Amino acid sequence: AYIFGAVCPSRDKGVALVLPEVNIPMMNLHLAEIAKAVPDGVHAVVIIDGAGWHLEGGDLVVPSNISLLKLPPYSPELNAQENIWQFLRQNFLAGRIFDTYDAIVDACCNAWKALIAETGRIHSIASRNWMQYVSS
């Protein structure tokens, strides 16, 4: 099971899907889910790394209310989502043994729900000075 997740630190919100595979079709599902969470009249910038399922062109479908911003290679420190993954591992997912695949999915879902339920947590983990909400 894989958590496809994205956060908006300025809005203290996040959206995720727990999916069985990591590939472009799954990334398309995730981008569609992000697009649904973007408020009307807002355009989101989703920061991505160089993962194969992040590559634009071909079969990747980027909704019209999203732009992708690719980070330079080998720069995970610029990707605030990496801190979200670290938080989830340290607090909910690491050091556990799961008896079934469903237990893994449940743990992933519960971890994400706990993250988004705690007011201010996403903002505190993922905010960066260079990454600010811009309004016109």
Side-chain angles (χ1 to χ4, degrees):
Y2 300 88
I3 304 173
F4 279 72
V7 297
C8 178
S10 64
R11 293 178 51 234
D12 199 39
K13 303 282 185 193
V15 63
L17 296 172
V18 178
L19 299 168
E21 300 174 341
V22 174
N23 56 35
I24 290 175
M26 300 298 113
M27 184 65 180
N28 286 337
L29 292 174
H30 181 50
L31 289 172
E33 197 68 21
I34 295 169
K36 287 191 277 185
V38 174
D40 289 341
V42 173
H43 190 88
V45 176
V46 176
I47 298 170
I48 59 170
D49 57 24
W53 57 92
H54 292 167
L55 301 178
E56 290 187 82
D59 296 329
L60 190 65
V61 178
V62 181
S64 62
N65 63 342
I66 294 175
S67 291
L68 301 180
L69 174 63
K70 186 177 177 195
L71 293 174
Y74 308 107
S75 57
E77 70 280 359
L78 296 177
N79 189 349
Q81 189 67 32
E82 295 297 335
N83 298 102
I84 296 291
W85 300 138
Q86 180 182 9
F87 175 81
L88 292 176
R89 282 190 301 272
Q90 288 178 338
N91 293 279
F92 300 103
L93 300 171
R96 296 184 55 193
I97 297 172
F98 302 99
D99 293 328
T100 65
Y101 177 79
D102 287 341
I104 295 169
V105 171
D106 289 344
C108 291
C109 291
N110 291 334
W112 189 266
K113 288 176 185 176
L115 169 74
I116 63 172
E118 189 177 347
T119 302
R121 177 60 73 182
I122 290 170
H123 179 76
S124 72
I125 295 172
S127 290
R128 300 292 184 273
N129 289 336
W130 62 268
M131 184 172 49
Q132 299 297 321
Y133 179 82
V134 178
S135 63
S136 53

